[in-house]
Amino acid sequence: MEAANCSLRVKRPLLDPRFEGYKLSLEPLPCYQLELDAAVAEVKLRDDQYTLEHMHAFGMYNYLHCDAWYQDSVYYIDNLGRIMNLTVMLDTALGKPREVFRLPTDVTAYDNRLCASIHFTSPSWVTLSDGTGRLYVIGTGDRGNSPEKWEIMFNEELGNPFIIIHSISLLKAEEHSVAILLLRIEKEELDLKGSGFYVSLEWVVVTKKKEDSKKYEITKHHVLRGKSVPHYAAIEPNGNGLMIVSYKSFKVISGDQDLEENMDEDRPEKIKVEPLYYWQQSEDDLTVTVRLPESSTKEDIQIQFLPDNINIKLKDIQVLEGKLYSSIDHEGSTWTIKENDSLEISLIKRNEGLMWPELVVGDKQGELIRDPAQCAAIAERLMHLTSDELNPNPDKEKPACNAQELEECDIFFEESSSLCRFDGNTLKTTHVVNLGSNQYLFSVIVDPKEMPCFCLRHDVDALLWQPHCSMQDDMWEHIATFNALGYVQASKRDKKFFACAPNYSYAALCECLRRVFIYRQPTPMSTVLYNRKEGRHVGQVAKQQGTVPCSNLKSKMDMDSYAEICLLGADWKDVTITPQCTADFQRVP
């Protein structure tokens, strides 16, 4: 089975074509100061980690971890190997950090290590990587109650260092499993293309068997490899699939396969499958040609024409059956056996002039043969849209569009990304969405029981999508829109972290150095404003807020909203937040 080509369906009611822009607000943001007794365990990139993929995966890493199951809890790992928890008490202050777990080994003794990473799998389970290549599965009990008691249920050395990017907990027939998605960047010495590094995604399943009440062991270990760090990767809640958004595609690798053969995307297929049929079309009709076995007679052929369907059988073997792309004149359609042992079928189009992109909907067994004369005629009709010159006649009434009309922030340096779903059993790609110019922006957990959402740029807006693995026909739901944010964020060249509130009330953008920008959804105004240009009243306004605290600020928090703004923390050694607000921003168009 080939992967189904899908598309993302935008909900028009969630778009606001009359959105005017964000208004700069000088309302102060409450800020608080908290001293830490030990610095955060920051791991900087080594000299041999010089590629853009290393920077994407490890250099832009967020050392603050929000527990999506308990939204007032934030965790970090300090340089003493302790996992520290602090509570965000809205409108009051930050809770004092407390130790909930300590790594069994001194990770600072390892030269080849990455930052420690943690993922909150469920309300009572956590997965942890110490950055040296060891994986921990930890039972925490109910983290909503204090004190927390974290107990290691599984730990094993898995080779080179990795980070954890997602995990889920599964309970089927009294058998408990934890599925974890790991990411590594490794060197392939035989790869002479590019930097020689490749990205490895490893889908590991740790299971406790029913007959053994304590011991967990690895029951599945799948490896996918690609040439770029995925923008988004997550396991479906039921464990039946994996979704990846990436610039370059990932392929499943088994132990017996040659890496170079799988990674070379330019290599042609070893075995070319002969099409089951060939077809060509004009504006009035279609001609389908099927190769027949020798000595075939007309008694062996059964063909049924219907206005919207076709059914072809050869000696009771189904050759082609399904819904046609468009309607035909079934009474005027005919078939004949040619001298070269081929079956030729003529179909008369009901909608003359309509060019069909496919013969039978969803069928990939045929090959379209294009008429050279027809291609030349189409090219001639489109000639006026193209030119060898950038703008051959700028003085005419409608000058040609050229790249100079684009703004700098609208130019994407990457080619288009794709969203792929892999089946959990066969590991084959089942769904593919070509994202085209829909630039990936960020991911966020709205509901911890569901997969993380991802946000894409659609024209000037930023649209939030929620994957639903149970809905095979419509797997991605458009759930929220951040007006004009796709355009606004493009001008922020120093952006490092991007997130939004779980209730979509605001989006927040943190720059590499000191500034945080908060873009709130439109809200009703207490006073009436008047738009002079359009001659109408304005009932609601979207606010832009921001803060530039003192120079040693490294983490920011908006105490009026959810604690997820804590996740914008960057490289910091202590949290210093002051009650200070400034208007040092650029106004948003």
Side-chain angles (χ1 to χ4, degrees):
M1 292 291 292
E2 293 190 15
N5 290 315
C6 307
S7 60
L8 301 177
R9 300 178 184 177
V10 176
K11 292 184 179 179
R12 296 296 173 185
L14 294 181
L15 302 181
D16 182 7
R18 301 177 65 87
F19 182 76
E20 297 179 338
Y22 293 94
K23 305 298 182 184
L24 181 64
S25 172
L26 298 182
E27 296 176 5
L29 297 174
C31 301
Y32 302 90
Q33 178 172 312
L34 178 66
E35 296 292 338
L36 305 182
D37 58 0
V40 174
E42 178 184 3
V43 180
K44 295 184 178 181
L45 296 180
R46 304 188 306 272
D47 291 341
D48 59 343
Q49 297 173 324
Y50 55 85
T51 69
L52 185 61
E53 306 312 321
H54 286 98
M55 177 60 68
H56 283 168
F58 313 130
M60 305 288 281
Y61 191 76
N62 191 346
Y63 290 92
L64 277 173
H65 307 275
C66 180
D67 188 346
W69 302 92
Y70 304 95
Q71 292 184 358
D72 60 348
S73 289
V74 179
Y75 295 79
Y76 66 91
I77 302 173
D78 65 18
N79 57 12
L80 300 179
R82 303 178 300 175
I83 297 181
M84 306 296 288
N85 167 247
L86 57 90
T87 302
V88 180
M89 296 170 285
L90 298 182
D91 298 325
T92 54
L94 297 175
K96 184 179 180 180
R98 59 188 181 90
E99 178 183 344
V100 296
F101 182 78
R102 189 183 292 256
L103 292 172
T105 58
D106 180 13
V107 296
T108 59
Y110 292 80
D111 294 330
N112 179 26
R113 69 184 179 102
L114 299 174
C115 49
S117 56
I118 186 171
H119 191 270
F120 299 93
T121 309
S122 74
S124 57
W125 289 90
V126 162
T127 53
L128 171 68
S129 164
D130 63 4
T132 68
R134 181 169 290 274
L135 172 66
Y136 296 88
V137 176
I138 302 173
T140 63
D142 186 0
R143 293 192 298 277
N145 297 327
S146 184
E148 299 178 18
K149 185 178 180 181
W150 291 31
E151 181 182 0
I152 298 176
M153 306 303 294
F154 169 88
N155 80 95
E156 187 169 317
E157 181 69 34
L158 297 182
N160 292 332
F162 57 83
I163 61 171
I164 297 174
I165 56 178
H166 193 237
S167 62
I168 61 169
S169 177
L170 298 167
L171 185 60
K172 296 181 180 179
E174 298 182 357
E175 182 176 281
H176 180 242
S177 299
V178 176
I180 312 112
L181 201 56
L182 317 176
L183 184 145
R184 313 177 200 255
I185 297 180
E186 299 181 297
K187 182 77 172 180
E188 174 56 41
E189 299 298 338
L190 299 178
D191 187 1
L192 302 180
K193 294 184 178 182
S195 65
F197 288 95
Y198 62 87
V199 179
S200 175
L201 279 179
E202 301 187 24
W203 185 353
V204 178
V205 180
V206 177
T207 305
K208 181 183 71 172
K209 300 295 185 180
K210 288 187 294 185
E211 58 269 15
D212 192 334
S213 60
K214 291 186 177 181
K215 185 178 179 181
Y216 282 79
E217 59 183 19
I218 295 178
T219 54
K220 290 183 181 179
H221 192 168
H222 304 308
V223 180
L224 298 90
R225 286 180 180 169
K227 283 291 189 178
S228 66
V229 172
H231 300 302
Y232 171 97
I235 305 171
E236 295 176 354
N238 56 15
N240 292 335
L242 170 67
M243 293 187 190
I244 299 175
V245 177
S246 61
Y247 161 47
K248 293 185 178 180
S249 61
F250 277 77
K251 295 183 179 180
V252 178
I253 303 297
S254 65
D256 298 331
Q257 287 178 298
D258 178 38
L259 174 62
E260 183 179 0
E261 176 183 327
N262 284 275
M263 293 302 300
D264 190 354
E265 299 178 359
D266 299 327
R267 182 171 297 180
E269 296 290 336
K270 291 183 177 181
I271 302 176
K272 182 173 177 60
V273 179
E274 184 73 17
L276 193 60
Y277 61 88
Y278 296 89
W279 65 289
Q280 57 187 18
Q281 62 179 319
S282 67
E283 294 186 352
D284 304 321
D285 57 21
L286 305 101
T287 302
V288 184
T289 303
V290 180
R291 177 71 62 182
L292 296 175
E294 294 183 4
S295 304
S296 297
T297 64
K298 63 180 182 179
E299 286 77 16
D300 299 329
I301 301 171
Q302 302 176 38
I303 299 181
Q304 181 183 22
F305 296 121
L306 294 174
D308 296 303
N309 289 269
I310 189 172
N311 189 348
I312 304 174
K313 289 185 178 181
L314 182 61
K315 295 182 179 180
D316 296 327
I317 298 176
Q318 193 77 55
V319 176
L320 181 63
E321 191 272 333
K323 182 180 179 181
L324 296 168
Y325 177 79
S326 186
S327 300
I328 62 171
D329 179 4
H330 64 290
E331 295 181 350
S333 300
T334 60
W335 62 272
T336 183
I337 298 179
K338 307 296 286 186
E339 295 180 356
N340 59 350
D341 291 328
S342 65
L343 171 66
E344 186 175 285
I345 304 169
S346 297
L347 305 176
I348 309 300
K349 295 180 179 180
R350 282 196 180 276
N351 299 320
E352 297 181 1
L354 175 65
M355 304 307 291
W356 295 17
E358 57 184 345
L359 180 65
V360 174
V361 177
D363 185 81
K364 307 294 183 182
Q365 303 178 85
E367 180 177 318
L368 173 62
I369 301 176
R370 300 186 184 275
D371 184 1
Q374 188 180 47
C375 293
I378 293 174
E380 185 177 354
R381 288 200 298 268
L382 298 177
M383 187 70 70
H384 71 285
L385 299 178
T386 63
S387 172
D388 294 333
E389 302 176 32
L390 188 62
N391 195 345
N393 189 2
D395 298 326
K396 67 181 182 179
E397 183 179 355
K398 294 182 179 180
C401 174
N402 60 61
Q404 291 179 344
E405 296 179 9
L406 296 175
E407 297 192 38
E408 188 178 359
C409 65
D410 289 317
I411 299 176
F412 299 109
F413 294 98
E414 288 187 353
E415 297 177 8
S416 61
S417 299
S418 61
L419 166 61
C420 298
R421 179 191 180 270
F422 292 84
D423 182 81
N425 297 318
T426 64
L427 294 181
K428 294 184 180 296
T429 307
T430 61
H431 298 73
V432 176
V433 179
N434 182 8
L435 299 182
S437 61
N438 300 133
Q439 178 190 10
Y440 180 87
L441 300 180
F442 63 87
S443 64
V444 64
I445 298 177
V446 170
D447 182 354
K449 298 183 182 67
E450 297 283 348
M451 299 179 71
C453 299
F454 54 86
C455 189
L456 304 176
R457 176 178 177 175
H458 289 250
D459 196 13
V460 299
D461 295 330
L463 272 55
L464 196 64
W465 299 88
Q466 174 67 69
H468 296 293
C469 60
S470 59
M471 302 169 61
Q472 293 296 315
D473 295 332
D474 194 7
M475 300 188 74
W476 302 280
E477 179 188 4
H478 174 203
I479 60 174
T481 300
F482 296 98
N483 298 298
L485 193 60
Y487 179 85
V488 169
Q489 62 82 33
S491 65
K492 302 292 187 290
R493 293 304 178 90
D494 293 329
K495 62 178 178 289
K496 186 168 186 179
F497 298 115
F498 207 170
C500 73
N503 62 354
Y504 335 126
S505 61
Y506 69 86
L509 188 150
C510 177
E511 293 189 329
C512 292
L513 299 177
R514 295 169 48 188
R515 296 191 293 186
V516 174
F517 299 90
I518 297 175
Y519 301 94
R520 298 191 181 276
Q521 294 283 20
T523 54
M525 293 288 295
S526 57
T527 59
V528 178
L529 298 181
Y530 188 76
N531 187 317
R532 295 179 180 178
K533 184 182 295 186
E534 298 184 7
R536 63 182 179 85
H537 292 285
V538 179
Q540 56 183 10
V541 168
K543 295 181 181 180
Q544 173 199 349
Q545 292 177 286
T547 181
V548 184
C550 58
S551 60
N552 62 342
L553 168 70
K554 302 293 181 177
S555 179
K556 300 90 181 174
M557 182 171 301
D558 172 15
M559 302 304 293
D560 289 335
S561 296
Y562 285 82
E564 273 62 20
I565 195 67
C566 290
L567 293 181
L568 300 177
D571 319 324
W572 46 276
K573 291 184 168 49
D574 60 358
V575 182
T576 306
I577 307 176
T578 60
Q580 176 181 354
C581 183
T582 180
D584 184 20
F585 315 116
Q586 296 177 349
R587 287 187 177 273
V588 179

